[in-house]
Amino acid sequence: MSAAAPKATTSVDRYRSLFDARPLPDNALTQWRRAAFERFAAIGLPTQREEDWKYTNLRRLESRQFTPATPAPVATDESRWIANAGARIVLANGHALASLSTVSPQPPGVTLLTLGQWIANSPEQVAEFLQKQRRDASSFELLNAAFLEDGVVIDLADGARFDQPIYVIHQMGPGNGMSHPRIFVRCGRNSACTLVEHYIGAADSETLTNSVVSLDLAQGAKVAHYRLQQESSRSFHIGTVHAHLDRDSRYACRDIALGATLARTHITATLAGPGAEATLQGLFAPSGTQHLDTYTLVDHAAPHTLSNEEYRGVADGRGRGVYRGKVIVRKDAQKIDSRQSSRNLLLSPTAEIDTRPELEIYANDVKCSHGATTGQLDSTALFYLRSRGLSEDEARGLLIRAFAESILSTIELEPLRQHLEQQLNERFASSEARA
Amino acid sequence: MSSNPQTDPALEALVGQKYRHGFVTDIESDTVPPGLDEDVIRLISRKKSEPEFMLEWRLKSFRHWLTMREPHWAHLRVAPIDYQGISYYSAPKSKANAPKSIEEVDPKLLETYDKLGIPLHERARLAGVAVDAVFDSVSVATTFKERLAKAGVIFCSFSEAVRNHPELIERYLGSVVAYTDNFFATLNSAVFSDGSFVYVPKGVRCPMELSTYFRINAANTGQFERTLIVADEGSYVSYLEGCTAPMRDENQLHAAVVELVALDNAQIKYSTVQNWYPGDEQGRGGIYNFVTKRGECRGANSKISWTQVETGSAITWKYPSCILTGENSVGEFYSVAVTNNYQQADTGTKMIHIGRNTRSTIVSKGISAGHAQNSYRGLVKILPSATNARNFTQCDSLLMGDQCGAHTFPYMEVRTPTASVEHEATTSKIGDDQLFYCLSRGISEEDAVNMIVNGFCKAVFKELPMEFAVEAQNLLAVSLEGAVG
C-alpha cells in the first residue's frame, strides 16, 4: 500500500502536466474533460489490490512516459491493412486522416463522421451529448475522456442499414505517443451495421492506445463488432467496450488479441430488454513476454435474455494470458440462458494462464453454466498426426490452429478471416520453432 | 413470499420452525471481561498454564494482528464487529479439579449434551466414537483415551497437548497456517482458547473415527478453537467435527483454525457438519463463522480429504484448503452449503499444487433459499514445479425462491503446460419437469423436493462417514423444509 501510493501520484502528476500543457478552448467540452481528469487524478491508475486487476500489474505502464500523439501524418503501413474490409476510416495516432479514408456516399439514415469533425463544428453539442452518456467509471475511461480528441461517430436511424462493414484502423507510432480515441455507435430500431476495429502499431514504437467504444442498440438492432489488436510488441493497449442492448437487439463481439506488451480489454454487455442476445467470442495468444488480459462482463438486467461466451487462450514463451468472465443475473431477471466457456492451451513451461469464469446470480429461474479448462496439446492427437507422416512441428501447428479455429470460424467477414488465418499461421509456425 | 401466493400454510409453518437446539444452560462461567490487549493474552496463557513459547507465539500474533485490517473481498455483508466488545476467555466454573473421567463431569453439562442428543457416555461407546467435547472453551471430557493410547494415537484437548507434548506443538503449530496468515487466523493465534490435538504415529491406522462436538454457550464469548492433526508416515485418521449452538440474539464471532499435516503415505479425512445458529427468519442474530482450515500434504503419496456440510451460521467464511507439496499427493474437497432466510455463505477451497503428479478434486454443491446468498470461491493454483498435476472441479448451485442468490467465483492459475485443469459449473432451479414427474406419481411436493435435493448432494454425502451421512440428510431436510421455490 505504502509502496504503491507514491508511485500512483507520480504517474498521475505526469498525466496532469500533459493535460495542462494542452491548449484547450474555454468551453463546455473542456470543462467536461477537466472534470474527468480530476476524477481520474482522485483514483489514479488501478493496482493489483483491486479484484479487477488482480492478475495485471501496471508497473510497466506506469514507468513509461508518453507524449500526446500529434495529428501529424504517421508512417502508415498499408500492407498490414485488411484489403476490401469495408468503408475505411484511418485514425493515425488517434487522429482521423481524411486522405486515407474511403467512405463512400452514405445511404439515407446513416450518419458517419469523425469525432474531430463534430467537435470542430459544434463543441457544445458534443459536450451535451457526452454529458448524457453513461458516466465513465474506470481510471482508463476517465483518462480517455480527459485526453479525448478524435474518434468515430456512427449513427443509424430506425431501419437503416450500412451495407458495408465500417473498417476503423487505429494506426500508432512510431515513437512513444498516446492516443485516446472514442467510438460512438448509436443504432436505431431494427438498424444493422458491422464495425471492424484494427489496432496496428509501427515496429519498435512504444505507444499507449486507450480506446473507448460505446454502442447503443435500440429495439431489434443488430451489430457485429470485430476487434483485432495487433499493436507493436513494446506498446500498451487498453480497450474498453460498452454495449447497451435494448429489447430483441443482438450484439456479437469477436475480440482477437495478438499484439502489445501489455494489453487489457474490458467488454461490458448490458442486456436491458427482453429478447436481447449477446455473443462474445475471443482469442488471445500471448507469447514472448506479452501480458494479455481480457475482462468481460455480461449483465442480464432484463428477463428472457440470452448470452453466449467463448474465449480461447494460447500462451507460449513467457507469455501470460488472463481471462475473467463475469455473468450477472439481476434480481427478477428470470428465464435467462447463459453459457460461458474458457479454454486454454499452455505451450511452454514458462507461460501462464489465469482464468476466472464467474457467475453472480440473483434470480432463480435461470440456466447458467460455465466451464474452463487449461491444458496442453493432446498427446494422442499428436501421435495420430505423427503416425501419418507429419513432422512434430507441423502436427503441433495444425492442432493449435484447430484449437483457434472454433473462434475464427465464427468470423463472417471473409477478408478479415483470411487475414487472421494468415496471421495465426505465421504466429504459430514461428512459435513452434522456439518451443 | 408475495410472489408465491399459493404457498401452503403448512409449509409456512415448517419454514417458520424455530431453531430446535436453541436453549442456554445456566452454568457459572469463569469469564474474562470483554476487551483485548496483551494483558488479556497473558491472562489466557497463564490460566492455561502454558509454557513460555506459547505465550511468545500468542503475543507475536497479537502484535501482528494489530497491523492487519479486516478482509472485505468476500461476497458478504457483515455488520461491523467490535473486537473490544468480545470476551476472549470463558471456562466452565466448576473446574477446580479438572474432571478425569465422565463421572466427574458437571452433571449440568451432561444434561446439555443429552438435550442435544450427543451421546457422550452411552452412544459414544456403542458407536465406537471417541468424543472430545469442547464446552465453551475448555475440554471437559475425553473418552476412549486408553484404547487410542494403546494404538499410540494422541487425541486430547489442545491445552493438554501443550502441557504434555510441547515438542510436537512447537514443531507443528503454525506450520500450515502461519500466525501472519490472515486477519481471523492471526486473531485466533493470539487468543485461541482450546481445541483438539491429534497425533497418529508412523504406520498406525487410527482404530476409530475421532470426533469433537463444538458448542457455544456463554453469551458474548467468541470461540477461538484451534485444531491440529498430524498424521505421521503411513498413518490414517478420520476426524469428524459437528456443531450445534444455543439460540442467541447478538452475533457471535467464531474464528477457528484447523491445521492438518500429512507426512509420507499418510491420509487424513476431515469431515464437518456445521449447524451453528443461523439467525431467525428476519436475519437477526446468528453466528459469524470465519474459519481458516488448511492441510498440507507434506509427504509423498499423502492425501487430505475435506468433506463439509454447512447448514448453519448467519455468515460463513470458510475455505478448507490443501497444499499439495509431496509428490503424487492428493487433495479432495467435497462440500454441501445450504443457506436459507438471510444466511450468507462464501465458501470454497484452495488447491495449491506444488509437487509433481499431484491431483485434486473439488465437488461443491450450493443450495440457496429464502433471501440467502451463497457463493463458491475456489482457487486452483498450479506452480511450475507441479508437472502432470491434475484438477477437476465441479460446482453446482441450486436456487429455491426468487429472492436468493447463488454465485461462483473460481480462480485458476496454471503455470505448467503438462497440467490439466477442468472446471465446470451450473446454476439452475429444481426442474419443473422433475417436480411434475414426482407429483404425478403421488409423491408430495415436500418429499419430492427433499428427494431431488438429496440427489443433488449425493456426490458429497457419500464421502461422509456413515453416521454423519444420516445426520446430514436430516439436517438438510430440516434446513430447507418448505423452501420450495
Side-chain angles (χ1 to χ4, degrees):
Chain A
M1 194 67 202
S2 53
K7 212 170 236 165
T9 36
T10 57
S11 72
V12 166
D13 289 345
R14 236 173 3 238
Y15 286 111
R16 185 182 291 281
S17 60
L18 291 177
F19 184 80
D20 291 340
R22 276 198 314 171
L24 289 171
D26 187 17
N27 60 17
L29 185 60
T30 303
Q31 282 168 23
W32 182 80
R33 285 172 172 146
R34 180 154 290 131
F37 186 82
E38 290 310 327
R39 281 175 57 210
F40 163 75
I43 56 177
L45 289 175
T47 67
Q48 280 184 288
R49 289 184 159 262
E50 288 163 48
E51 240 350 68
D52 285 0
W53 291 85
K54 186 177 163 69
Y55 294 119
T56 299
N57 190 326
L58 289 174
R59 255 199 318 250
R60 267 197 271 184
L61 173 65
E62 272 177 36
S63 62
R64 292 292 199 291
Q65 177 99 44
F66 301 104
T67 54
T70 51
V74 292
T76 52
D77 192 356
E78 289 174 44
S79 62
R80 292 174 64 198
W81 296 355
I82 304 165
N84 306 320
R88 189 168 70 211
I89 298 173
V90 180
L91 295 176
N93 279 347
H95 295 272
L97 277 185
S99 56
L100 290 167
S101 301
T102 61
V103 180
S104 47
Q106 295 148 28
V110 177
T111 312
L112 176 64
L113 77 168
T114 65
L115 195 57
Q117 283 171 330
W118 196 18
I119 291 175
N121 294 342
S122 46
E124 266 64 42
Q125 204 188 348
V126 176
E128 199 190 319
F129 172 75
L130 290 171
Q131 295 282 9
K132 278 192 219 143
Q133 291 288 308
R134 200 188 52 85
R135 216 169 128 89
D136 293 322
S138 74
S139 303
F140 285 105
E141 282 172 87
L142 291 167
L143 198 61
N144 173 289
F147 288 95
L148 182 71
E149 291 284 351
D150 213 339
V152 181
V153 180
I154 301 163
D155 191 279
L156 300 174
D158 289 356
R161 260 154 217 273
F162 207 112
D163 42 5
Q164 275 181 298
I166 301 157
Y167 176 43
V168 179
I169 299 172
H170 299 264
Q171 170 84 51
M172 287 299 286
N176 63 343
M178 63 172 184
S179 86
H180 301 271
R182 212 173 252 238
I183 298 180
F184 293 102
V185 182
R186 198 165 63 178
C187 294
R189 288 175 163 231
N190 302 316
S191 61
C193 73
T194 299
L195 172 66
V196 182
E197 283 187 90
H198 194 180
Y199 294 88
I200 311 174
D204 294 330
S205 57
E206 278 190 38
T207 56
L208 166 65
T209 307
N210 174 24
S211 72
V212 175
V213 180
S214 55
L215 306 108
D216 198 350
L217 283 72
Q219 183 175 340
K222 261 168 102 171
V223 173
H225 184 191
Y226 297 92
R227 283 184 103 255
L228 173 52
Q229 190 267 102
Q230 290 184 286
E231 304 269 9
S232 86
S233 59
R234 288 162 66 191
S235 291
F236 297 85
H237 177 90
I238 309 286
T240 309
V241 177
H242 287 286
H244 189 268
L245 284 78
D246 215 330
R247 175 181 276 269
D248 297 325
S249 61
R250 279 193 195 175
Y251 173 68
C253 183
R254 271 99 199 185
D255 170 30
I256 315 287
L258 301 174
T261 179
L262 191 158
R264 156 86 162 199
T265 316
H266 182 161
I267 301 174
T268 307
T270 308
L271 303 158
E277 180 181 344
T279 308
L280 306 180
Q281 279 160 319
L283 176 73
F284 50 93
S287 67
T289 55
Q290 282 184 295
H291 183 113
L292 303 181
D293 181 348
T294 307
Y295 176 17
T296 67
L297 172 64
V298 177
D299 188 348
H300 290 267
H304 293 277
T305 48
L306 212 77
S307 71
N308 200 341
E309 192 171 343
E310 184 178 5
Y311 263 82
R312 296 202 170 201
V314 182
D316 197 359
R318 291 176 58 213
R320 187 168 178 195
V322 179
Y323 167 76
R324 180 182 182 200
K326 188 165 186 153
V327 174
I328 301 180
V329 177
R330 302 276 170 192
K331 214 166 166 180
D332 301 324
Q334 304 290 4
K335 307 282 179 194
I336 300 296
D337 198 337
S338 163
R339 265 172 304 180
Q340 187 187 46
S341 106
S342 158
R343 289 162 178 254
N344 303 285
L345 263 186
L346 274 176
L347 299 178
S348 112
T350 45
E352 176 170 353
I353 293 274
D354 303 308
T355 173
R356 287 164 72 186
E358 298 182 8
L359 293 172
E360 212 175 303
I361 296 165
Y362 299 94
N364 68 333
D365 195 359
V366 299
K367 262 209 166 99
C368 294
S369 65
H370 66 207
T373 58
T374 302
Q376 58 182 346
L377 290 173
D378 181 4
S379 58
T380 47
L382 263 181
F383 177 78
Y384 179 90
L385 292 176
R386 295 292 313 276
S387 71
R388 262 95 189 140
L390 270 73
S391 75
E392 171 106 26
D393 284 358
E394 283 169 330
R396 284 172 64 94
L398 196 65
L399 287 176
I400 298 167
R401 282 282 289 101
F403 180 78
E405 191 60 33
S406 78
I407 301 296
L408 287 194
S409 62
T410 63
I411 295 176
E412 284 156 8
L413 269 182
E414 193 61 33
L416 177 60
R417 195 174 67 226
Q418 279 172 5
H419 172 83
L420 261 177
E421 295 206 337
Q422 192 196 333
Q423 296 288 325
L424 290 179
N425 282 342
E426 283 168 22
R427 175 67 163 260
F428 295 132
S430 64
S431 74
E432 287 335 295
R434 265 202 330 272
Chain B
M1 280 296 139
S2 54
S3 61
N4 191 3
Q6 27 356 356
T7 307
D8 190 334
L11 294 189
E12 289 268 336
L14 280 168
V15 185
Q17 202 172 47
K18 288 279 185 293
Y19 186 66
R20 279 205 305 194
H21 298 159
F23 46 80
V24 179
T25 309
D26 185 23
I27 291 182
E28 269 182 89
S29 282
D30 178 7
T31 301
V32 167
L36 182 59
D37 55 25
E38 293 203 2
D39 289 341
V40 170
I41 289 166
R42 282 176 215 279
L43 181 74
I44 294 171
S45 192
R46 199 169 51 241
K47 281 210 178 233
K48 305 178 77 60
S49 346
E50 286 176 350
E52 191 59 27
F53 80 90
M54 278 306 304
L55 177 64
E56 290 290 310
W57 200 70
R58 283 174 185 275
L59 289 174
K60 201 164 60 175
S61 309
F62 176 68
R63 284 166 200 150
H64 187 75
W65 182 72
L66 291 175
T67 66
M68 300 173 97
R69 287 190 300 171
E70 243 179 60
H72 287 290
W73 42 260
H75 196 83
L76 300 170
R77 264 186 225 168
V78 186
I81 300 166
D82 177 10
Y83 294 95
Q84 294 300 334
I86 297 169
S87 167
Y88 285 87
Y89 184 76
S90 150
K93 195 106 190 235
S94 54
K95 180 190 162 272
N97 313 309
K100 286 172 195 69
S101 70
I102 200 89
E103 287 74 28
E104 287 178 37
V105 172
D106 189 329
K108 265 197 167 169
L109 278 183
L110 294 176
E111 204 182 306
T112 316
Y113 291 136
D114 280 347
K115 273 195 239 173
L116 278 169
I118 299 174
L120 193 66
H121 47 282
E122 283 185 345
R123 218 162 68 194
R125 217 156 291 192
L126 290 172
V129 174
V131 177
D132 177 353
V134 177
F135 189 81
D136 268 356
S137 310
V138 171
S139 293
V140 290
T142 305
T143 52
F144 287 99
K145 273 263 168 71
E146 299 89 41
R147 220 179 124 191
L148 289 171
K150 209 175 281 173
V153 176
I154 303 169
F155 177 38
C156 60
S157 75
F158 208 92
S159 336
E160 216 174 303
V162 168
R163 284 193 298 272
N164 301 339
H165 309 282
E167 71 295 342
L168 287 174
I169 298 290
E170 200 167 1
R171 184 160 163 203
Y172 291 107
L173 178 69
S175 70
V176 182
V177 180
Y179 73 91
T180 52
D181 195 82
N182 68 66
F183 186 83
F184 297 107
T186 304
L187 177 63
N188 174 290
S189 302
V191 303
F192 72 88
S193 36
D194 212 331
S196 302
F197 174 75
V198 179
Y199 175 81
V200 191
K202 274 183 194 174
V204 170
R205 191 181 166 90
C206 188
M208 62 188 83
E209 312 254 8
L210 303 178
S211 105
T212 295
Y213 285 87
F214 293 94
R215 320 254 314 122
I216 291 180
N217 196 283
N220 280 328
T221 51
Q223 275 231 327
F224 302 93
E225 306 289 345
R226 186 111 198 169
T227 301
L228 174 60
I229 299 177
V230 180
D232 213 325
E233 287 170 28
S235 64
Y236 169 86
V237 59
S238 166
Y239 188 87
L240 312 143
E241 168 200 65
C243 8
T244 50
M247 190 174 232
R248 276 285 145 233
D249 278 329
E250 275 169 81
N251 294 316
Q252 289 187 317
L253 177 66
H254 182 85
V257 172
V258 176
E259 290 179 281
L260 311 183
V261 180
L263 301 179
D264 284 356
N265 303 308
Q267 268 190 48
I268 302 176
K269 186 174 169 67
Y270 194 104
S271 315
T272 308
V273 172
Q274 187 261 109
N275 184 27
W276 304 106
Y277 177 52
D280 64 15
E281 49 280 33
Q282 263 72 50
R284 283 187 301 254
I287 305 292
Y288 283 15
N289 192 18
F290 296 95
V291 183
T292 306
K293 290 187 169 182
R294 196 174 304 152
E296 184 178 354
C297 286
R298 212 166 276 180
N301 310 315
S302 54
K303 177 175 172 181
I304 289 178
S305 172
W306 297 100
T307 309
Q308 62 171 23
V309 177
E310 302 279 322
T311 60
S313 293
I315 292 172
T316 304
W317 180 98
K318 181 179 177 188
Y319 314 92
S321 313
C322 296
I323 301 172
L324 303 168
T325 315
E327 263 178 43
N328 309 321
S329 58
V330 178
E332 289 175 351
F333 174 76
Y334 298 95
S335 164
V336 169
V338 183
T339 51
N340 199 353
N341 298 322
Y342 284 88
Q343 280 178 274
Q344 304 175 65
D346 193 303
T347 181
T349 183
K350 286 195 255 184
M351 293 290 175
I352 317 283
H353 292 254
I354 299 171
R356 284 189 292 156
N357 305 322
T358 46
R359 280 169 293 149
S360 62
T361 308
I362 300 170
V363 177
S364 164
K365 307 279 181 183
I367 300 169
S368 199
H371 290 82
Q373 300 294 335
N374 197 335
S375 309
Y376 165 82
R377 186 183 301 274
L379 168 71
V380 176
K381 187 170 191 160
I382 315 263
L383 294 174
S385 53
T387 46
N388 296 318
R390 277 197 64 89
N391 162 265
F392 173 76
T393 304
Q394 164 105 45
C395 49
D396 298 325
S397 307
L398 196 61
L399 289 151
M400 303 169 86
D402 52 10
Q403 301 295 314
C404 55
H407 320 295
T408 318
F409 306 105
Y411 298 62
M412 277 157 279
E413 305 174 16
V414 186
R415 293 174 61 190
T416 172
T418 51
S420 162
V421 176
E422 292 167 70
H423 171 96
E424 229 175 62
T426 60
T427 302
S428 55
K429 61 170 195 165
I430 292 179
D432 289 334
D433 48 342
Q434 293 172 345
L435 262 184
F436 178 77
Y437 182 91
C438 294
L439 292 180
S440 69
R441 270 140 189 92
I443 299 167
S444 76
E445 192 173 12
E446 202 71 32
D447 287 346
V449 168
N450 249 332
M451 202 161 79
I452 294 164
V453 169
N454 268 314
F456 177 75
C457 301
K458 203 171 177 181
V460 174
F461 285 162
K462 74 176 173 41
E463 297 297 324
L464 283 172
M466 183 53 184
E467 313 87 311
F468 261 28
V470 177
E471 200 179 312
Q473 284 191 19
N474 293 337
L475 205 58
L476 207 65
V478 172
S479 306
L480 286 173
E481 257 166 0
V484 183

